[in-house]
Amino acid sequence: MALRILQFGVVFAIGYHLGPASPFAGAVDVPEVPLSIQLKDPQDVTVSRGQSATLRCDAQSPTPGLQITWLHNDQPIKSNDSRRHVQRDGSLYFPKLGDGKKSKNLTGEYRCRASVQNVSMLSNPAKLKVASFGDFDKQPSNLSVPESQPAVLFCNINSVPAAQIKWEQNTKPLPHNTRYVPLPTGALLITKTHSSDAGSYRCIATNSLLKKTKNSKIVELTVSSVPSKTVAPTFLPLDILPNTTTVLAGEDAYLHCAVSGWPIPTVQWLNNISVVISNSSVLQFRNASLRDAGNYTCTVYNAGGRISQRYLLEVHQAPYFNVTPTSKTYPPAKTVRLDCHALGSPKPKIYWLKNGEPLQNAARIKKHPTKLVISHTFTSDSGIYQCFAVNAAGRVWAAAQLVPTLLHTPSPPENVQCRPYDDSSVCLSWQRPKDALEVKAYSIYCYYTDMEREMPGTDFVTNRTQYLASGLNGSTNYTCYVRLYSTIASDRSQKVSCKTGMKGRRNLQVIPINETSVELSWSRVSTDVPCDGTNELYKIEWRRKGRPPAVSERCEGFSYTITGLAASVEYEFRVIPAWAKSSNAPWAAYTPKGHRTNTNLNDLIPLAPEHVEAGRVSPTNINLTWIDNNENTRFYMICMVESGKQVDCDDKDLLISASNSLLITDLQPNSSYDFKVRAHNFGDHVGPFSQSTTIRTPADVPSKVLNLNYAIVNETTVCLRWQAPLHKNGRLTGYLVLYTPNADWPLDKWFNKSVSAAVEAEKRCWTGATDDQTLSTPLVGLQPDTWYMVYVRAISEVGLGNPVYPIQINTREIKTTEQQPEPSEDVHYNQNLGIIMGVTISLLCLVFCISCTILVRKRCLKTRAFSRARMAASNNYYPAVAQYASEGSSVQVRLEHSCSATMHEIEHLVGDECSNHIPPDTPAHLDTKGSDGFPNGHINGSAKPYINGHIANGIVHITENPRYYALECNGYAEKKPKPQDLCCSPYEEDSNSNLKTSKFHDLHRIFENSKVVKVPDMTNRANRQCNFPQKNSKIKSNEDCKNSSFKDVRPNG
């Protein structure tokens, strides 16, 4: 044990030294592919009218031949445009802006594109503006306001870039005061006017780029006395509509609630949960964050009434990436995923570019919100992919490059052709390329277009040069291509298109030849020609009207003659391709002319049914059908036997049916059965059995798993355990674990986990005893204090097994007293401290274990020596011959043969009046309540011996040893003795005892009616030699045992 603790300490020290394992441990390190182009976005430019401008594009590439082109409002700029041209460093130069007709329409968004060796990259747009300084849209006006009421002076001007607005009072700059609040529109809000505010006002607008200033008109603000009567509160217009304020995260935000009224109204700001957060007319947010965004309500009231107004604060955050795509190489015919996840407010929209162009929609290319998945990759998928994230606050992009592996790809299939086949299939054929050395398989991929979007179809695989692509939508135009597989996959072939739907008409005609013969003729339809190119064969079926097909024949060509028809009986005919197993082709009716005889059909022996067919319905059910040419059949008898068994069909074992079909149930899955049918008519005539048909029932799915249970590992993990199903019905391939926190979720939304049926025992999470039939798996990532519904299904080669009744699991039984923070990348580990702690703990544990072992060993040796000395001094230490068993009480007394190989502890408490005074040998067996370190002089492992029949502490616990077995003298198990076989029968309570009646008193009641017991002759037993003899012991005769009595041995006092 000390060695193991030392090992644990060393492992702990090493683990602490190395730190936590990487979450990507075991992942293959894929070398990163460098981008062929490095590009920086151009910046916005604003210039004065008539001046030149330059937009710079900073692009670099390790590959020579880098080219820069520009787009204006997403349209390429022509190389011969004299108004702007690309310089040698890639920048776009404008000689003059805003003067003359040639300079018109030059402002807007510009993007630069960098290209090298068939790959391109596109920048974010940069805006080109021409500075301007227009007239005032709104100017202040004269205003009269009662004292202590708010006032608003408006000012707004058109300017590029935005003008700076300042206010003057009486031709002097407005003094700094919290009552003066400039609004985002340029207006001035005086929250509470004083008499000193009266005077003249004007706003001054300045364009810093043009270095121009404009003054508004001068207006007068008059401050009157306070109202003499109550005035209901009224909101002042602030020219901020619709009461929405938008700021960027980290900026200061202000919501203004300007209201007039007398007495001065009380202002309350309420958040979206109706909690008062401020009483000021201006609600201020310092360094506004995303959590500050939302609706706010300004409620004001006075004696004149109460009013409220809602405000919306929007906090925007420019998009940023938390996951960016990674450049990589890829082989053909694989699936490639580029991850791209952006955050921001509002939620950014993601779109993709490939080589600077919008990525086209394709059935094999799926654009998810957080990734781009390209399946069935081709060499044409190579290029630079850019992920753009855009919202109202800005736009960012990240790029990755896909490079195909440098392998020679085989040539694709040639001469691909497609023709319609039926309503849900098309037939494809192609030729093997001439330079193909080895062809392992071909894959076919079909898709259709809906609203200018490619909709994915189904993949097909074959090793032939033709294929029937089925399961398609009806009357739909599909586009298909084929690719070849040898050691690697080829690129796709040329695309071909065809439309599903049957082509041609059958035009079946029935031409009479005579009263019993007809000739059938028909035309070809698209399904007649098999897709594998074999010859056309047709199957002609005919029957009496309303009955299953009676006869079918095969033929080539487009005509066939049928003879032997019955006169004046209506027949139905049809023609289908010979390869078709079933068909819904229409029937053509015809009745041969003639007369019928008046023969009594009941006097005829019924004909044997024909075309007995069995169809699988389920693993335990089949549907049996047959054709009956008799017209007076009353019922049918069906014989069913297991294939391979030579069993005659007995009438009592036959099945009965009133129609020419029967659903047979309760069969064994994956078993073969033989069926034959005979007809019974109304004349009680029995026909012969039909030809036998054989069918094998399909294999059944596994039954439900057994003993589904779980154990809690921690707050987010449980260990799920179950046992294999009782009926596997074949080889199990695995298990499917389904679980959900919401039972109302549809099944396809449940979380699922696959578990292999061959999980090694050491990889199972269940710590209890397991076997090959017990499996377990951990469920991780669970939410604490959340109930999950879980069930498990076995999976075999047939399919999913029957589901077990779901159980509910919860991890809330695990409660931690302190939440431990998760390790992060910023945590630094003290490696030397870890080594010191591990080694110190190991040494302390080692010293402690060695000390305890020495102390316990010394004490045990002293106790054992003392016990032997006490036993040697005792004259009353004798084994008991009787052992006691009493069912229904806690004390059991059994009288067994004196040569038992083992002894119960109760023998040490009962004096043996039938035995001599020679102490026996110590039993060699190990008692479960003691050890061989405590001889029979000790009770239940007690270290203190008892002497002369007395117990040291006065308390005796007597139980039956579960490991005790009574043996006969020759070592065989001895049968439980009968009462009449007991050796010593009379028992008496010790009259000298002054203690309360013990549990042994029950034995007196049990045996007081057994004072006289017949004892069998023990002579034969006495003469037999025991396997475990006692030294100098004698087996007493029956007479010696008659006077024995039982005494309750208890300590006096």
Side-chain angles (χ1 to χ4, degrees):
M1 180 177 178
L3 181 59
R4 292 193 177 185
I5 293 177
L6 179 60
Q7 293 174 347
F8 169 77
V10 173
V11 172
F12 173 80
I14 296 175
Y16 197 88
H17 173 77
L18 295 178
S22 169
F24 304 103
V28 178
D29 219 1
V30 179
E32 186 174 346
V33 178
L35 283 172
S36 299
I37 301 172
Q38 300 294 333
L39 179 65
K40 293 183 179 179
D41 295 328
Q43 302 299 315
D44 295 344
V45 173
T46 303
V47 298
S48 303
R49 188 177 300 275
Q51 292 183 347
S52 63
T54 302
L55 293 174
R56 301 192 179 279
C57 181
D58 187 2
Q60 297 177 354
S61 175
T63 305
L66 180 66
Q67 295 182 353
I68 304 295
T69 57
W70 287 83
L71 288 79
H72 178 214
N73 295 332
D74 293 331
Q75 298 298 321
I77 297 176
K78 297 180 180 179
S79 58
N80 58 356
D81 192 339
S82 60
R83 300 173 301 171
R84 53 206 169 183
H85 59 270
V86 180
Q87 296 181 324
R88 296 185 61 181
D89 63 353
S91 59
L92 185 63
Y93 177 71
F94 299 83
K96 184 179 287 189
L97 286 173
D99 257 356
K101 295 181 179 180
K102 292 184 178 181
S103 299
K104 286 185 177 180
N105 302 323
L106 291 180
T107 58
E109 291 186 345
Y110 287 84
R111 309 177 79 167
C112 71
R113 174 187 288 150
S115 304
V116 62
Q117 288 189 354
N118 300 323
V119 295
S120 301
M121 187 179 291
L122 191 66
S123 70
N124 265 327
K127 293 182 180 180
L128 177 63
K129 299 178 182 179
V130 176
S132 63
F133 201 32
D135 298 329
F136 284 96
D137 282 343
K138 280 190 176 183
Q139 295 200 48
S141 58
N142 295 329
L143 188 62
S144 178
V145 179
E147 189 175 359
S148 301
Q149 299 298 305
V152 179
L153 298 173
F154 295 99
C155 181
N156 190 19
I157 192 171
N158 293 319
S159 176
V160 177
Q164 298 176 355
I165 304 296
K166 294 182 179 180
W167 286 87
E168 289 185 349
Q169 179 188 20
N170 298 327
T171 68
K172 295 181 180 180
L174 196 68
H176 293 286
N177 196 307
T178 56
R179 294 184 298 109
Y180 301 129
V181 180
L183 300 181
T185 58
L188 176 64
L189 169 64
I190 304 175
T191 58
K192 188 176 182 180
T193 56
H194 293 175
S195 57
S196 59
D197 294 328
S200 59
Y201 288 83
R202 71 174 180 180
C203 68
I204 302 174
T206 302
N207 187 312
S208 58
L209 181 63
L210 298 178
K211 298 180 180 180
K212 292 182 180 181
T213 300
K214 290 186 178 182
N215 300 328
S216 70
K217 65 180 181 179
I218 299 175
V219 298
E220 294 293 331
L221 175 62
T222 304
V223 180
S224 60
S225 60
V226 298
S228 59
K229 59 180 180 180
T230 300
V231 179
T234 304
F235 288 108
L236 272 64
L238 299 179
D239 199 24
I240 302 176
L241 296 177
N243 290 333
T244 300
T245 301
T246 302
V247 296
L248 291 177
E251 297 180 346
D252 295 340
Y254 302 90
L255 300 181
H256 307 279
C257 184
V259 62
S260 63
W262 188 259
I264 298 175
T266 300
V267 178
Q268 288 184 339
W269 283 97
L270 288 78
N271 59 13
N272 56 356
I273 58 174
S274 300
V275 174
V276 177
I277 57 176
S278 177
N279 297 104
S280 174
S281 60
V282 179
L283 182 60
Q284 181 177 354
F285 297 88
R286 293 289 187 184
N287 298 322
S289 62
L290 296 180
R291 64 174 177 268
D292 294 327
N295 292 308
Y296 295 87
T297 302
C298 178
T299 300
V300 295
Y301 58 90
N302 64 5
R306 175 189 292 265
I307 58 175
S308 61
Q309 183 167 274
R310 292 174 63 88
Y311 295 79
L312 175 62
L313 175 62
E314 292 183 347
V315 180
H316 287 177
Q317 185 179 36
Y320 63 95
F321 291 109
N322 61 343
V323 177
T324 57
T326 303
S327 300
K328 60 187 69 175
T329 60
Y330 68 94
K334 296 295 182 180
T335 298
V336 175
R337 187 180 74 178
L338 296 176
D339 295 314
C340 181
H341 190 200
L343 300 177
S345 180
K347 183 179 179 180
K349 293 183 179 179
I350 303 293
Y351 70 92
W352 291 83
L353 298 182
K354 177 189 175 185
N355 291 330
E357 299 288 345
L359 185 62
Q360 299 297 323
N361 291 322
R364 63 185 186 87
I365 300 178
K366 296 180 175 59
K367 302 173 185 177
H368 298 278
T370 59
K371 60 180 176 288
L372 177 70
V373 179
I374 305 174
S375 58
H376 306 282
T377 53
F378 304 123
T379 55
S380 58
D381 292 324
S382 64
I384 295 179
Y385 291 79
Q386 290 176 270
C387 173
F388 281 79
V390 183
N391 67 3
R395 56 196 302 156
V396 292
W397 59 268
Q401 187 167 354
L402 295 183
V403 179
T405 53
L406 300 178
L407 297 174
H408 172 69
T409 58
S411 300
E414 301 173 351
N415 194 23
V416 181
Q417 296 181 356
C418 177
R419 65 177 176 88
Y421 191 74
D422 58 20
D423 292 338
S424 62
S425 306
V426 295
C427 184
L428 292 160
S429 61
W430 56 90
Q431 292 179 355
R432 175 175 173 167
K434 296 178 181 179
D435 59 349
L437 300 178
E438 180 185 8
V439 177
K440 294 183 178 179
Y442 297 94
S443 66
I444 303 101
Y445 187 77
C446 297
Y447 64 90
Y448 63 95
T449 303
D450 184 18
M451 300 180 63
E452 300 182 355
R453 293 188 61 187
E454 291 185 6
M455 307 302 294
T458 307
D459 294 345
F460 307 98
V461 178
T462 183
N463 55 5
R464 300 182 179 182
T465 56
Q466 64 278 330
Y467 192 80
L468 181 65
S470 57
L472 308 179
N473 297 338
S475 301
T476 303
N477 192 28
Y478 277 86
T479 300
C480 304
Y481 58 83
V482 186
R483 66 191 310 175
L484 176 149
Y485 290 82
S486 56
T487 54
I488 57 175
S490 71
D491 276 339
R492 65 171 178 82
S493 66
Q494 76 272 17
K495 295 181 180 180
V496 293
S497 298
C498 55
K499 190 175 183 178
T500 55
M502 185 178 296
K503 303 300 180 183
R505 296 177 61 87
R506 179 65 69 196
N507 296 325
L508 177 62
Q509 295 182 358
V510 182
I511 303 172
I513 298 176
N514 52 43
E515 294 182 354
T516 60
S517 303
V518 295
E519 181 181 359
L520 304 181
S521 65
W522 59 88
S523 302
R524 174 187 293 167
V525 295
S526 59
T527 56
D528 293 345
V529 182
C531 196
D532 58 5
T534 57
N535 295 332
E536 299 176 59
L537 286 176
Y538 293 94
K539 182 164 62 174
I540 296 91
E541 295 181 343
W542 66 94
R543 67 182 182 185
R544 295 188 180 188
K545 186 175 182 181
R547 298 192 178 186
V551 182
S552 65
E553 295 290 343
R554 295 173 182 261
C555 77
E556 297 182 10
F558 302 97
S559 64
Y560 186 78
T561 300
I562 301 176
T563 61
L565 302 178
S568 301
V569 175
E570 187 174 8
Y571 285 89
E572 292 179 326
F573 305 89
R574 72 176 179 183
V575 177
I576 60 176
W579 54 264
K581 296 182 179 179
S582 61
S583 176
N584 57 356
W587 294 86
Y590 175 76
T591 304
K593 296 181 180 180
H595 63 279
R596 300 181 61 179
T597 60
N598 293 326
T599 305
N600 187 358
L601 299 179
N602 292 332
D603 296 334
L604 299 177
I605 301 298
L607 300 175
E610 300 179 352
H611 296 280
V612 180
E613 296 181 356
R616 299 179 181 90
V617 178
S618 72
T620 58
N621 301 339
I622 64 102
N623 187 39
L624 193 68
T625 60
W626 57 90
I627 298 170
D628 183 17
N629 293 321
N630 303 294
E631 295 186 359
N632 62 332
T633 301
R634 184 180 181 186
F635 60 89
Y636 304 92
M637 301 295 287
I638 299 94
C639 172
M640 178 187 73
V641 296
E642 292 189 33
S643 300
K645 292 186 177 181
Q646 301 297 329
V647 179
D648 295 332
C649 291
D650 195 355
D651 288 348
K652 64 180 181 180
D653 297 327
L654 297 180
L655 306 176
I656 189 169
S657 174
S659 64
N660 59 345
S661 65
L662 180 64
L663 179 64
I664 302 176
T665 61
D666 299 329
L667 302 177
Q668 293 296 323
N670 198 24
S671 300
S672 184
Y673 293 89
D674 295 332
F675 298 93
K676 49 188 178 181
V677 185
R678 74 185 183 196
H680 295 243
N681 65 10
F682 287 92
D684 293 332
H685 292 288
V686 180
F689 276 108
S690 66
Q691 293 292 329
S692 177
T693 184
T694 303
I695 187 173
R696 174 174 288 275
T697 55
D700 199 1
V701 297
S703 61
K704 64 183 180 180
V705 302
L706 304 176
N707 301 329
L708 180 59
N709 204 344
Y710 76 101
I712 298 173
V713 179
N714 54 43
E715 288 188 339
T716 61
T717 306
V718 301
C719 180
L720 200 64
R721 179 194 68 87
W722 66 91
Q723 290 181 329
L726 183 62
H727 303 289
K728 297 182 177 63
N729 296 325
R731 186 177 68 87
L732 295 183
T733 60
Y735 295 87
L736 178 64
V737 180
L738 293 166
Y739 58 101
T740 177
N742 188 346
D744 295 331
W745 285 3
L747 198 58
D748 57 350
K749 301 295 184 183
W750 286 34
F751 303 115
N752 63 80
K753 180 179 182 180
S754 297
V755 180
S756 174
V759 177
E760 299 178 2
E762 60 268 14
K763 295 183 179 179
R764 299 171 182 169
C765 63
W766 193 263
T767 57
T770 59
D771 51 28
D772 293 340
Q773 302 300 316
T774 303
L775 294 98
S776 60
T777 186
L779 296 184
V780 301
L782 305 180
Q783 295 295 328
D785 297 329
T786 300
W787 283 100
Y788 286 81
M789 183 169 288
V790 183
Y791 74 89
V792 181
R793 302 179 73 174
I795 305 175
S796 69
E797 297 172 343
V798 179
L800 284 173
N802 296 319
V804 70
Y805 189 79
I807 65 172
Q808 287 188 323
I809 66 175
N810 193 306
T811 62
R812 64 184 179 186
E813 296 179 19
I814 298 295
K815 298 294 182 182
T816 58
T817 58
E818 181 178 355
Q819 185 69 24
Q820 299 295 334
E822 297 182 356
S824 64
E825 296 179 356
D826 297 330
V827 176
H828 299 281
Y829 293 92
N830 191 329
Q831 301 176 351
N832 295 331
L833 179 60
I835 297 175
I836 295 172
M837 289 179 60
V839 173
T840 303
I841 292 174
S842 304
L843 294 176
L844 290 176
C845 293
L846 185 62
V847 171
F848 177 76
C849 292
I850 294 174
S851 302
C852 291
T853 304
I854 294 173
L855 292 176
V856 172
R857 184 174 180 84
K858 287 183 177 181
R859 183 175 181 182
C860 291
L861 292 175
K862 291 181 178 180
T863 303
R864 185 178 301 178
F866 180 71
S867 300
R868 291 198 184 104
R870 294 285 299 272
M871 285 191 300
S874 174
N875 293 326
N876 292 330
Y877 169 64
Y878 307 121
V881 175
Q883 296 184 354
Y884 306 91
S886 172
E887 297 181 2
S889 66
S890 60
V891 178
Q892 299 185 2
V893 179
R894 279 200 306 266
L895 297 181
E896 296 180 344
H897 198 273
S898 59
C899 57
S900 295
T902 59
M903 294 185 179
H904 279 252
E905 292 169 342
I906 196 171
E907 296 180 56
H908 308 298
L909 304 178
V910 181
D912 183 9
E913 299 181 7
C914 299
S915 63
N916 57 24
H917 298 279
I918 301 175
D921 289 342
T922 302
H925 76 280
L926 176 64
D927 193 291
T928 58
K929 299 179 289 301
S931 66
D932 56 358
F934 300 105
N936 289 341
H938 299 253
I939 299 176
N940 291 337
S942 174
K944 298 180 180 180
Y946 61 93
I947 303 174
N948 298 329
H950 292 276
I951 311 302
N953 56 6
I955 301 175
V956 180
H957 295 282
I958 304 174
T959 57
E960 183 180 0
N961 187 343
R963 297 182 57 183
Y964 171 79
Y965 296 93
L967 302 179
E968 287 185 327
C969 293
N970 291 331
Y972 297 99
E974 182 178 353
K975 297 181 181 179
K976 184 176 181 179
K978 298 180 181 180
Q980 60 268 26
D981 298 333
L982 300 178
C983 175
C984 303
S985 57
Y987 300 92
E988 296 179 0
E989 183 72 9
D990 187 2
S991 59
N992 297 324
S993 175
N994 58 355
L995 299 180
K996 295 182 180 180
T997 304
S998 70
K999 294 180 181 179
F1000 288 98
H1001 185 69
D1002 295 336
L1003 304 180
H1004 175 71
R1005 294 198 302 269
I1006 294 173
F1007 293 100
E1008 81 178 351
N1009 295 325
S1010 305
K1011 300 246 177 152
V1012 179
V1013 180
K1014 294 181 179 180
V1015 180
D1017 185 11
M1018 301 293 291
T1019 305
N1020 294 333
R1021 291 193 177 186
N1023 293 332
R1024 283 188 290 180
Q1025 190 175 3
C1026 297
N1027 286 341
F1028 301 93
Q1030 297 179 0
K1031 296 180 179 180
N1032 303 324
S1033 63
K1034 296 181 180 180
I1035 299 178
K1036 288 181 175 286
S1037 63
N1038 296 340
E1039 283 72 13
D1040 295 333
C1041 298
K1042 288 182 181 179
N1043 297 326
S1044 64
S1045 62
F1046 169 77
K1047 293 185 180 181
D1048 187 3
V1049 182
R1050 293 175 293 180
N1052 294 324

